[in-house]
Amino acid sequence: MERPEESNGGETAAPVRRDFIRSRIDEDLASGRHRQVVTRFPPEPNGYLHIGHAKAICLNFTVAQEFGGRCHLRFDDTNPTKEEQEFVDNIEADIRWLGFEWGDHLYFASDYFERLYGFAVELIEKDKAYVDELDAEQMREYRGTLTSPGRESPYRNRPVAESLDLFRRMRAGDFPDGALVLRAKIDMASPNINLRDPVLYRIRRAHHHRTGDDWCIYPMYDYTHPLSDAIEGITHSLCTLEFEDHRPLYDWVLDNVTIDCHPQQIEFARLGLPYTVMSKRKLIDLVTGRHVRGWDDPRMPTLAGYRRRGYTPAAIRAFAEAIGVAKANSEVEVGLLEHHLREDLNQHAPRVMAVLAPLKVVLTNYPAGKVEEVEAINNPEKESDGSRRIPFSGELYIEREDFAEEPPKGWFRLSPGKEVRLKHGYYVRCDEVIKDAAGEITELRCTYDPESAGGTTPDRRKVKGTLHWVSASHAIPAEVRIYESLFAEAHPGERTGDYLDDLNPDSLRVLADARVEPSLAGAGAGSVFQFLRQGYFCVDPDSTPERPIFNRTVGLKDTWAKLQKRS
RNA sequence: AGGGGCGUCGCCAAGCGGUAAGGCAUCGGACUUUGGAUCCGACACUCGGAGGUUCGAAUCCUCCCGCCCCUGCCA
């Protein structure tokens, strides 16, 4: 088989992987059926984009890129009752954020309304479409069932001239909403229900976000989509599996109208992710029902949510690349997304220290009032990021979880009589545990080894554990938001039928008493850090200079937790 | 039940008649001033099942089983 680079000689990025869609394009190019590749991403502006859309966006844009073609962004805005400009704007922003550009190729199906109307007239003239007077309920009745054929509408064979006149008057506004529809004349006995005289136009007096009140009839998706594709010269129209049954109709429309382009619709499986919901309706419900704080709630599977959570476009693109494209319905483990996230963040996130649940440590042998600045490397994965200085003093905070009065086996962290290293600082040994009346540990008395400055000693003795810390008087109080999956069940609603029953009550945990190192003062919203030994965190837009707020993007891999779980 | 699809390792996924890629996860081990990262190594005699064709089948044929989608004037 010929490689695309060889067949079209254009500037192309090397195809990263093989899949049935790219193979098919290879063939189309090799056979001369197409000389270029034009794809499109066609969102309906009735909601925000989610991670499932990201799969389609990455596919369409990268395929076009690889083959030296182009990808259009086209809004499928044929249903004015559900669509809004706000969604258009946010969808554009999300796609740009993901890293894709459509240049001049921004389109709206609504821009084609006049031409679409013309094609409809042509269909009527050819006796391929007719105006029907059956109401919605009657039409359902006439449609038949999955196993029995439908019946023809009594209006099916009305004269062409009559349909032409009626359709013209539909447009003119002579009839109330829902009174008439334009239907394709195909086959009421077809085993494919989509071919049983599908509706092409309906009457709907609704204000359209772009065409305003110019129209009171609006074309249906199945009619609009193939024509929009053809008008734009799309070569490969990639969509999800549920449209497979619609392909015969897609082809019928293009075969029965005078247009010199016939794109190929190719279907692939949509992305499934456990512990979340991806349907637009459910996402809208979550927002309007206040189960989340908004479309960009960090627990939402929306691109806006992932962005606020601290996910990077590169990670999402790598994920989309990794899951591949096929026709088998599949559900990808969240771990794979997190793997690509960590892989990206590990390279780029500056390391800082933050204590989420502080436990005071007093160094009894540290000179009273002394403060020194210790040097801390910003990112061991990226030497060029340099280093910074952090204040160290005799009163510190460490993570409550890093101390155990009675250490389990395999414990590397602090416990009575044991020595650990404070990252970038000194070795300390725990001498005494202070508790309050309730028996709660309130403070640790430790001694430090002055010889261990920087983290090593002249005698080169080993300490297994290294802890992160923060100087008590220098640290900045902060809020940290820890997120778990929005749903407690892999398939929300599977048991009770109502997905809201499976909302995870612990999906958001707020740690109000965290302390972060002073270098984090003034970190801008969106900036991402690795809190040493804990995970990746980003500054939430709710942050103020007085009270920084961090979202946990994803935790670090935790071998210790895994070991614990096992025993 | 009619139509359209799909079934290869726990999760994705290559494979297109010549004797099962890769990633994630998992499990060992090395290294480590993050129990992070990195590095080594292990991980499908078998491709939903049963027959058949063939020197040879995950790939071809037949039957069976399972799962998904379709009866909006939504997309």
Side-chain angles (χ1 to χ4, degrees):
Chain A
M1 193 195 299
E2 240 184 328
R3 308 294 298 128
E5 292 88 337
E6 296 159 356
S7 57
N8 69 8
E11 265 300 309
T12 58
V16 253
R17 66 178 301 148
R18 294 283 80 202
D19 55 60
F20 77 103
I21 290 177
R22 280 174 249 242
S23 300
R24 184 104 170 247
I25 295 176
D26 280 343
E27 287 165 20
D28 289 344
L29 258 17
S31 71
R33 176 180 184 148
H34 292 298
R35 302 187 57 191
Q36 61 170 347
V37 174
V38 184
T39 58
R40 105 267 91 113
F41 176 64
E44 183 192 10
N46 68 342
Y48 279 60
L49 261 19
H50 56 64
I51 185 81
H53 291 117
K55 173 181 180 178
I57 294 167
C58 291
L59 209 218
N60 278 294
F61 279 93
T62 60
V63 158
Q65 229 166 272
E66 285 167 23
F67 289 93
R70 62 175 195 268
C71 179
H72 298 182
L73 170 59
R74 180 175 69 236
F75 286 93
D76 230 324
D77 54 352
T78 57
N79 185 354
T81 60
K82 294 184 176 176
E83 297 152 5
E84 294 169 28
Q85 187 61 39
E86 178 212 343
F87 295 132
V88 170
D89 298 338
N90 283 292
I91 287 169
E92 288 189 32
D94 284 345
I95 299 173
R96 285 209 177 85
W97 174 74
L98 243 199
F100 298 105
E101 227 354 284
W102 48 88
D104 296 333
H105 300 286
L106 170 65
Y107 304 99
F108 292 83
S110 55
D111 288 344
Y112 309 138
F113 280 175
E114 193 59 52
R115 295 183 68 182
L116 261 28
Y117 179 85
F119 285 126
V121 169
E122 180 186 351
L123 284 175
I124 298 171
E125 285 170 341
K126 287 177 171 169
D127 201 19
K128 299 280 190 182
Y130 61 98
V131 171
D132 198 3
E133 292 174 36
L134 255 28
D135 64 32
E137 197 174 321
Q138 293 171 312
M139 201 179 293
R140 196 177 314 125
E141 232 169 83
Y142 274 77
R143 188 154 34 228
T145 70
L146 293 179
T147 51
S148 60
R151 285 143 51 216
E152 299 188 348
S153 163
Y155 304 98
R156 193 177 203 258
N157 292 312
R158 77 186 341 153
V160 164
E162 198 175 304
S163 279
L164 237 25
D165 180 55
L166 253 16
F167 187 50
R168 186 185 50 72
R169 291 173 56 200
M170 278 169 66
R171 175 180 185 171
D174 289 357
F175 308 102
D177 285 12
L180 301 175
V181 292
L182 180 71
R183 289 230 256 172
K185 190 183 284 190
I186 309 182
D187 177 7
M188 288 307 292
S190 173
N192 181 344
I193 291 178
N194 295 301
L195 263 21
R196 316 239 264 230
D197 289 10
V199 170
L200 267 24
Y201 271 89
R202 75 285 213 186
I203 303 173
R204 248 228 234 318
R205 283 176 178 72
H207 190 80
H208 187 280
H209 68 102
R210 301 204 95 225
T211 60
D213 299 314
D214 292 354
W215 296 83
C216 64
I217 58 172
Y218 290 94
M220 302 289 289
Y221 166 86
D222 281 319
Y223 174 70
T224 308
H225 208 80
L227 291 172
S228 302
D229 281 347
I231 287 169
E232 293 174 22
I234 300 299
T235 55
H236 302 270
S237 184
L238 314 180
C239 65
T240 43
L241 252 29
E242 66 271 26
F243 290 103
E244 217 153 8
D245 288 340
H246 296 240
R247 194 169 65 225
L249 179 50
Y250 182 102
D251 290 331
W252 183 93
V253 170
L254 296 178
D255 286 342
N256 286 285
V257 119
T258 307
I259 197 159
D260 58 359
C261 176
H262 193 134
Q264 282 312 294
Q265 175 180 301
I266 305 174
E267 311 85 8
F268 63 92
R270 54 166 72 209
L271 166 67
L273 274 187
Y275 300 97
T276 190
V277 292
M278 219 89 103
S279 92
K280 271 189 187 170
R281 193 212 101 217
K282 290 174 183 169
L283 294 177
I284 290 170
D285 287 353
L286 286 170
V287 173
T288 56
R290 305 261 172 193
H291 297 106
V292 294
R293 295 181 178 187
W295 285 102
D296 69 344
D297 187 298
R299 294 165 295 183
M300 289 282 273
T302 51
L303 294 183
Y306 282 113
R307 177 166 59 235
R308 184 162 180 180
R309 174 84 171 251
Y311 276 62
T312 62
I316 293 174
R317 277 187 257 114
F319 171 70
E321 187 63 46
I323 59 178
V325 188
K327 296 195 69 160
N329 286 313
S330 60
E331 182 174 80
V332 181
E333 291 173 342
V334 179
L336 185 61
L337 212 206
E338 293 181 339
H339 163 77
H340 289 286
L341 214 214
R342 291 193 185 101
E343 193 165 72
D344 185 35
L345 261 20
N346 178 49
Q347 295 305 313
H348 307 291
R351 272 60 168 175
V352 296
M353 295 202 286
V355 173
L356 305 188
L359 172 60
K360 182 175 268 189
V361 167
V362 174
L363 303 180
T364 52
N365 62 337
Y366 195 82
K370 179 178 176 184
V371 175
E372 56 187 305
E373 301 248 297
V374 301
E375 172 120 359
I377 184 161
N378 289 326
N379 186 350
E381 304 292 330
K382 212 169 154 191
E383 291 290 332
S384 61
D385 276 4
S387 62
R388 67 192 181 288
R389 303 187 77 80
I390 318 178
F392 183 93
S393 67
E395 269 193 28
L396 311 165
Y397 287 119
I398 64 165
E399 206 69 60
R400 213 158 249 284
E401 280 190 355
D402 284 337
F403 177 77
E405 197 164 15
E406 289 170 41
K409 50 194 170 315
W411 184 257
F412 293 173
R413 284 113 97 146
L414 198 60
S415 58
K418 250 194 96 182
E419 186 176 55
V420 296
R421 171 168 40 233
L422 295 180
K423 179 79 178 178
H424 306 307
Y426 294 90
Y427 288 8
V428 299
R429 180 183 306 280
C430 176
D431 306 313
E432 193 183 345
V433 181
I434 313 288
K435 298 179 182 179
D436 63 14
E440 271 300 297
I441 298 171
T442 55
E443 182 182 314
L444 264 22
R445 297 282 164 115
C446 302
T447 45
Y448 85 113
D449 178 356
E451 298 270 68
S452 64
T456 48
T457 53
D459 65 4
R460 299 173 59 86
R461 70 174 184 277
K462 300 276 187 195
V463 290
K464 250 330 199 171
T466 300
L467 309 187
H468 59 275
W469 53 273
V470 107
S471 169
S473 60
H474 305 271
I476 305 170
E479 174 178 319
V480 173
R481 297 174 180 171
I482 307 287
Y483 301 99
E484 302 295 341
S485 64
L486 227 202
F487 291 90
E489 295 291 331
H491 305 115
E494 200 172 48
R495 290 156 190 267
T496 66
D498 183 359
Y499 72 103
L500 292 174
D501 290 342
D502 292 323
L503 274 167
N504 177 7
D506 302 318
S507 60
L508 168 61
R509 201 166 87 239
V510 176
L511 303 178
D513 191 32
R515 309 297 164 97
V516 302
E517 65 169 70
S519 74
L520 254 26
S527 34
V528 185
F529 302 91
Q530 184 194 104
F531 285 2
L532 228 56
R533 300 207 309 132
Q534 304 193 99
Y536 298 97
F537 295 73
C538 71
V539 179
D540 189 86
D542 284 350
S543 238
T544 62
E546 297 72 42
R547 183 164 185 77
I549 298 174
F550 295 89
N551 294 316
R552 184 172 73 181
T553 306
V554 65
L556 249 26
K557 286 218 258 179
D558 192 344
T559 306
W560 172 245
K562 199 194 290 178
L563 287 171
Q564 288 279 281
K565 218 178 202 172
R566 237 190 274 177
S567 62

